């Protein structure tokens, strides 16, 4: 399902790219799917947030937008407009930023003001982010849920992936009113990917590998061991849990006053 697919993508990202080339901001607006990545020596992660309200999710979007504007200024100073050009000209290492938002539709199931700003920032990031090395992975159980402006989001997302859906309208919402799901898409583990940038209008069916809880824990053990062996910095990720009780012992500034 969706959660398995996200874990597979994350494992591929952190295996393929070192932490100085890739930073991950992972937000779950409904559950605790990304909590397994919390803890020491997860150097790729900058934010791990669980059970977040739409308002906190919006604040994360604001932070990513601030980072994008900072990169805009950096690139302008070097008279370049793409990450690859900046790296080539300056020789600096600037990591790509991947923002993963699970159940992103919940951003729109809130006040009109919050939903409106979330849509504005998402639109801005989707339009400009890739040039500055900022990428979004938006996941949801349902595009039909809440008040998601699916058409606006869809028009800016060139690569779309669908898993099995109980309601065929979900696939039509993602791929277009005339879309007819292939038979394989009804089988667990199968998915369809469509990349409109390369004219792949019919999409391609593929099978996503199963990453069991045991396999994920085994991977994380190896990942942390390799990270330590290679001398990657200890994780500096900000950890947020929308339902956990506050623990002032975790506040370094307060601890320094003791």
């Amino acid at each position: 399902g969706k959660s398995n697919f996200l874990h597979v993508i994350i494992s591929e990202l952190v295996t393929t790219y070192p932490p100085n080339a890739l930073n991950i901001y992972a937000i779950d607006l409904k559950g605790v799917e990304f909590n397994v990545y919390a803890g020491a020596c997860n150097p790729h992660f900058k934010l791990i947030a669980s059970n977040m309200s739409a308002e906190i999710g919006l604040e994360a979007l604001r932070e990513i937008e601030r980072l994008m504007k900072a990169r805009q200024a950096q690139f302008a100073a070097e008279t370049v407009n793409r990450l690859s050009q900046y790296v080539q000209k300056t020789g600096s290492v600037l990591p790509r930023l991947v923002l993963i938002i699970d159940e992103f539709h919940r951003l729109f199931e809130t006040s009109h003001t919050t939903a409106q700003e979330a849509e504005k920032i998402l639109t801005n990031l989707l339009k400009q982010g890739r040039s500055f090395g900022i990428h979004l992975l938006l996941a949801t159980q349902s595009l039909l849920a809440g008040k998601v402006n699916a058409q606006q989001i869809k028009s800016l997302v060139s690569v779309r992936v669908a898993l099995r859906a109980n309601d065929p309208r979900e696939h039509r919402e993602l791929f277009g009113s005339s879309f007819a799901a292939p038979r394989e898409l009804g089988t667990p583990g199968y998915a369809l990917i469509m990349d409109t940038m390369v004219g792949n209008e019919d999409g391609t069916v593929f099978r996503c590998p199963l990453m069991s809880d045991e396999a994920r824990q085994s991977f994380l053990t190896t990942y942390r061991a390799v990270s330590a062996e290679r001398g990657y910095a200890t994780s500096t990720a900000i950890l947020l849990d929308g339902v956990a009780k506050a623990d002032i012992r975790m506040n370094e500034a307060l601890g320094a006053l003791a």
Side-chain angles (χ1 to χ4, degrees):
K2 173 172 62 68
S3 296
N4 177 77
F5 182 62
L6 291 176
H7 287 303
V8 169
I9 289 179
I10 289 172
S11 65
E12 287 294 320
L13 286 174
V14 302
T15 300
T16 304
Y17 302 98
N20 66 342
L22 175 75
N23 292 164
I24 297 175
Y25 295 73
I27 302 171
D28 192 337
L29 294 174
K30 188 176 181 180
V32 295
E33 202 57 54
F34 302 126
N35 280 8
V36 294
Y37 302 107
C41 214
N42 292 325
H44 290 84
F45 293 86
K46 294 300 180 184
L47 172 67
I48 299 171
S50 304
N51 292 309
M52 287 293 100
S53 65
E55 288 72 22
I56 299 297
L58 175 59
E59 185 55 41
L61 286 178
R62 289 172 180 153
E63 176 60 20
I64 297 297
E65 186 177 47
R66 283 192 287 267
L67 291 173
M68 184 177 75
K69 289 179 178 178
R71 289 191 173 191
Q72 284 178 318
Q74 283 179 271
F75 288 14
E78 299 294 341
T79 61
V80 297
N81 53 27
R82 300 189 68 84
L83 177 63
S84 57
Q85 296 170 344
Y86 179 83
V87 172
Q88 183 176 16
K89 184 172 184 179
T90 66
S92 301
V93 177
L94 202 59
R96 291 186 179 275
L97 309 180
V98 177
L99 172 61
I100 303 173
I101 307 180
D102 194 11
E103 303 300 350
F104 83 96
H105 69 271
R106 292 174 69 88
L107 288 168
F108 305 94
E109 295 178 343
T110 181
S111 69
H112 176 71
T113 302
T114 298
Q116 194 172 46
E117 185 179 354
E119 182 176 340
K120 180 181 178 181
I121 295 176
L122 273 177
T123 299
N124 194 23
L125 291 172
L126 288 167
K127 283 182 176 179
Q128 303 181 51
R130 186 166 57 179
S131 295
F132 301 102
I134 298 173
H135 309 272
L136 274 65
L137 197 168
L138 306 176
T140 180
Q141 201 70 29
S142 173
L143 280 175
L144 299 174
K147 305 172 183 178
V148 182
N149 186 345
Q151 296 305 315
Q152 170 72 2
I153 300 297
K154 186 180 72 172
S155 68
L156 297 170
V157 176
S158 59
V159 179
R160 309 165 203 162
V161 177
L163 300 167
R164 183 175 59 167
N166 293 326
D167 188 337
R169 292 180 300 164
E170 296 285 0
H171 291 150
R172 291 197 292 270
E173 188 71 24
L174 185 62
F175 297 126
S177 58
S178 61
F179 178 79
R183 178 175 53 82
E184 295 93 333
L185 209 53
T187 304
Y190 281 85
L192 183 137
I193 184 169
M194 181 182 293
D195 185 350
T196 58
M197 292 290 287
V198 297
N200 182 17
E201 297 296 338
D202 295 326
T204 301
V205 174
F206 68 96
R207 188 170 186 177
C208 179
L210 174 64
M211 193 174 199
S212 66
D213 292 344
E214 294 76 12
R216 185 165 61 247
Q217 287 303 322
S218 176
F219 166 77
L220 285 171
T221 298
T222 302
Y223 163 61
R224 289 165 181 158
V226 171
S227 295
E229 181 182 310
R230 293 180 179 176
Y232 294 154
T234 301
S235 175
T236 56
I238 296 173
L239 307 178
L240 299 174
D241 190 326
V243 298
K245 294 181 179 180
D247 185 350
I248 62 173
R249 293 172 298 179
M250 301 297 291
N251 189 308
E252 294 181 1
L254 285 175
L257 298 175

